[in-house]
Amino acid sequence: MASLDELFAAAKSVQQRAYAPYSRFKVGAAIATPDGKIFTGCNVENAAYPVGSCAEAGAIAAMIATGEKQIAAIVVMGEGENLVTPCGGCRQRIREFATPATPIHVAGPEGIRRSFTLDELLPFSFGPDNLSAR
Ligand code: THU
């Protein structure tokens, strides 16, 4: 798997490319896969506000487009003093391709601020197993 330093650098770099003219809040996300690949995404806003997409969604789309399906770790990098934890929708998006123990690292420009497991951010979650256990 890629090192946390590499993952942090990838998230910081892609954050600069965010298209966020409306919120002026740039977010970058970097996913590490178990076999050492890194996929990145940034938020892409739209004049029709609800159509905008989150950084995590972009990184997941990039991963899936190459045929990878497992998130080993993810770094989410936001702006400001507060922890930029993934929004509710993105927690569910991550859940589809992760395990309860998958680390979600929340970063600011200076470094990783706090690390969570997916299960901490999305306890008792609904996922693929619910549908296959019928
Ligand atoms: N945003 C993300 O990209 N990821 C998150 O997990 C939180 C929010 C974006 C969406 C929007 O473009 C901006 O941050 C402000 O909400």
Side-chain angles (χ1 to χ4, degrees):
M1 192 169 75
S3 76
L4 189 51
D5 281 351
E6 283 177 279
L7 209 55
F8 172 80
K12 191 168 185 172
S13 167
V14 73
Q15 181 191 28
Q16 303 313 310
R17 295 191 206 108
Y19 177 75
Y22 307 109
S23 71
R24 303 213 165 276
F25 191 82
K26 294 185 171 192
V27 184
I31 289 171
T33 60
D35 57 351
K37 299 197 184 84
I38 292 179
F39 296 96
T40 60
C42 53
N43 52 334
V44 182
E45 297 185 347
N46 192 282
Y49 292 179
V51 181
S53 56
C54 285
E56 298 91 325
I60 289 170
M63 176 187 78
I64 293 299
T66 71
E68 297 277 337
K69 288 190 173 54
Q70 265 183 278
I71 299 175
I74 181 166
V75 170
V76 179
M77 160 93 60
E79 295 185 316
E81 300 294 303
N82 293 332
L83 279 183
V84 179
T85 45
C87 76
C90 285
R91 294 177 193 201
Q92 185 68 36
R93 289 187 179 95
I94 293 166
R95 194 261 178 259
E96 186 76 14
F97 305 107
T99 72
T102 300
I104 298 173
H105 304 286
V106 178
E110 76 290 352
I112 304 292
R113 290 181 178 171
R114 196 162 156 182
S115 299
F116 302 89
T117 63
L118 172 66
D119 197 52
E120 285 178 295
L121 296 185
L122 194 68
F124 301 103
S125 64
F126 183 89
D129 293 350
N130 290 90
L131 300 181
S132 60
R134 283 183 295 167

